[in-house]
């Protein structure tokens, strides 16, 4: 039977460590979260981020803008937050309505306050191996692997998905820890033959049950980044958990795996941004 990589418990331990560091220290890290429009999933994510801040003694502020806000107003909002002394971290919840440019908004965030680590400066520092802030989801996965003593050095790592938010930075972090990394995507030929070589398999595709049992090597470590709804509206990952779990050595559940780690790493980044300023 596989070890369940419990992101919920690990994130709670991390939050506890952060809360203890902040409590009585005189530090009040501040996070500003910008939400454009009223996408229900984004609403939930933003609420969770604010709740997590309150639980560890951070200040947080939500800036809600209408779905038809102009690019100029959004960027002016970011620039005003860049100047604020009480705000250490800024994030703009994605996706944005289609008339707005993610790239322009991210570029407007002061890289020192870019707690998502999406700015080109932070992405570049990661590429060069000199990061100060790491993207939350890949960093959360690395923390989970570390806390479960899963060694990466020399291992075959396969990342399915090449997004700027997860797939690409995930591959870089595994590489930095001396993994032999392959990145697969929608144009990859004979995907299953590649995923079957993985000692560590990371699925970040966004398709329910995409990774089936025949795609996974016996004894592999499987990390499921997916956050999907199945045909019954139930939350599920990218991995067919019921079929894959019996044949692997460790696996993250959905929910309760990668998701909670992402928010814990956002708190860690906000604390780091506070200290760096
Ligand atoms: N939307 C989905 N994931 C993320 C994330 O990590 N950060 C932000 N800002 N938006 C997201």
């Amino acid at each position: 039977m596989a070890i369940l990589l419990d992101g919920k418990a690990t994130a709670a331990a991390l939050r506890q460590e952060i809360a203890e560091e902040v409590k009585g220290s005189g530090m009040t890290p501040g996070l500003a979260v910008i939400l454009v429009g009223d996408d229900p999933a984004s609403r939930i994510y933003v609420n969770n981020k604010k709740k997590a801040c309150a639980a560890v003694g951070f200040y947080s502020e939500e800036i809600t803008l209408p779905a038809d806000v102009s690019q100029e107003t959004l960027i002016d909002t970011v620039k005003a937050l860049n100047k604020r002394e009480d705000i250490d971290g800024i994030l703009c919840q994605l996706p944005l309505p289609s008339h707005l440019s993610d790239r322009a908004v991210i570029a407007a965030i002061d890289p020192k306050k870019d707690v998502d680590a999406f700015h080109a400066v932070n992405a570049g520092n990661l590429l060069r191996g000199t990061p100060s802030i790491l993207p939350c989801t890949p960093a959360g996965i690395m923390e989970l692997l570390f806390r479960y003593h899963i060694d990466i050095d020399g291992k075959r790592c396969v990342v399915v998905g090449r997004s700027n938010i997860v797939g690409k930075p995930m591959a870089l972090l595994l590489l930095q820890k001396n993994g032999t990394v392959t990145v697969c995507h929608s144009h990859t030929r004979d995907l299953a033959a590649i995923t079957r070589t993985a000692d560590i398999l990371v699925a970040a595709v966004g398709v329910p049950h995409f990774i089936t049992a025949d795609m996974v090597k016996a004894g592999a470590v499987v990390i499921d980044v997916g956050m999907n709804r199945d045909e019954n509206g139930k939350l599920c990952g990218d991995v067919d958990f019921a079929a894959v779990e019996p044949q692997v050595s460790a696996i993250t559940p959905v929910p309760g795996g990668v998701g909670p780690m992402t928010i814990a790493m956002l708190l860690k980044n906000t604390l780091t941004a506070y200290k760096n300023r």
Side-chain angles (χ1 to χ4, degrees):
M1 216 171 87
I3 295 169
L4 268 196
L5 303 173
D6 187 343
K8 196 171 166 196
T10 308
L14 248 166
R15 282 199 305 271
Q16 181 69 24
E17 289 165 23
I18 292 169
E20 275 165 19
E21 187 175 346
V22 168
K23 199 171 151 193
S25 69
M27 296 190 283
T28 309
L31 175 69
V33 182
I34 303 171
L35 176 61
V36 181
D38 51 8
D39 176 65
S42 291
R43 174 79 266 161
I44 293 169
Y45 293 140
V46 167
N47 286 349
N48 287 343
K49 288 170 184 179
K50 284 184 344 196
K51 257 190 259 170
C53 281
V56 296
F58 289 7
Y59 171 72
S60 77
E61 187 169 311
E62 177 184 327
I63 296 101
T64 313
L65 298 170
D68 62 356
V69 70
S70 70
Q71 175 102 344
E72 192 186 5
T73 302
L74 177 54
I75 287 182
D76 286 347
T77 304
V78 169
K79 285 182 177 164
L81 292 166
N82 283 341
K83 291 198 191 114
R84 293 242 319 252
E85 272 305 313
D86 58 335
I87 295 297
D88 303 287
I90 302 167
L91 76 80
C92 180
Q93 188 66 33
L94 304 177
L96 289 171
S98 57
H99 70 285
L100 298 169
S101 155
D102 298 9
R103 208 185 327 168
V105 175
I106 291 164
I109 297 174
D110 178 343
K112 291 192 191 70
K113 295 190 177 188
D114 168 36
V115 283
D116 269 326
F118 292 167
H119 192 286
V121 165
N122 288 316
N125 281 332
L126 173 60
L127 184 74
R128 294 175 58 123
T130 56
S132 61
I133 291 182
L134 296 173
C136 300
T137 299
I141 293 167
M142 296 304 281
E143 189 70 27
L144 199 53
L145 293 173
F146 176 75
R147 291 190 183 220
Y148 277 89
H149 310 290
I150 293 168
D151 192 25
I152 296 159
D153 201 305
K155 298 278 175 65
R156 283 197 173 274
C157 306
V158 175
V159 179
V160 189
R162 55 174 161 179
S163 70
N164 287 325
I165 297 183
V166 182
K168 282 190 224 170
M170 185 76 249
L172 290 169
L173 289 175
L174 291 165
L175 183 61
Q176 208 164 46
K177 292 290 178 191
N178 301 319
T180 300
V181 183
T182 303
V183 181
C184 299
H185 46 78
S186 55
H187 291 232
T188 297
R189 292 184 197 156
D190 203 359
L191 177 65
I194 299 171
T195 57
R196 273 197 299 271
T197 67
D199 301 311
I200 299 173
L201 177 62
V202 180
V205 189
V207 177
H209 308 309
F210 183 83
I211 302 289
T212 48
D214 61 304
M215 297 171 77
V216 182
K217 180 166 81 173
V221 172
V222 177
I223 306 292
D224 190 347
V225 186
M227 189 70 82
N228 315 301
R229 298 271 168 194
D230 69 12
E231 57 282 4
N232 304 314
K234 199 171 151 240
L235 204 60
C236 71
D238 291 347
V239 177
D240 182 353
F241 185 91
V244 169
E245 186 271 342
Q247 70 187 51
V248 298
S249 63
I251 186 166
T252 59
V254 177
V258 174
M261 292 301 293
T262 297
I263 294 195
M265 297 316 284
L266 174 66
L267 298 175
K268 192 172 171 204
N269 281 349
T270 305
L271 181 56
T272 302
Y274 175 94
K275 289 179 186 166
N276 288 349
R277 275 172 11 93

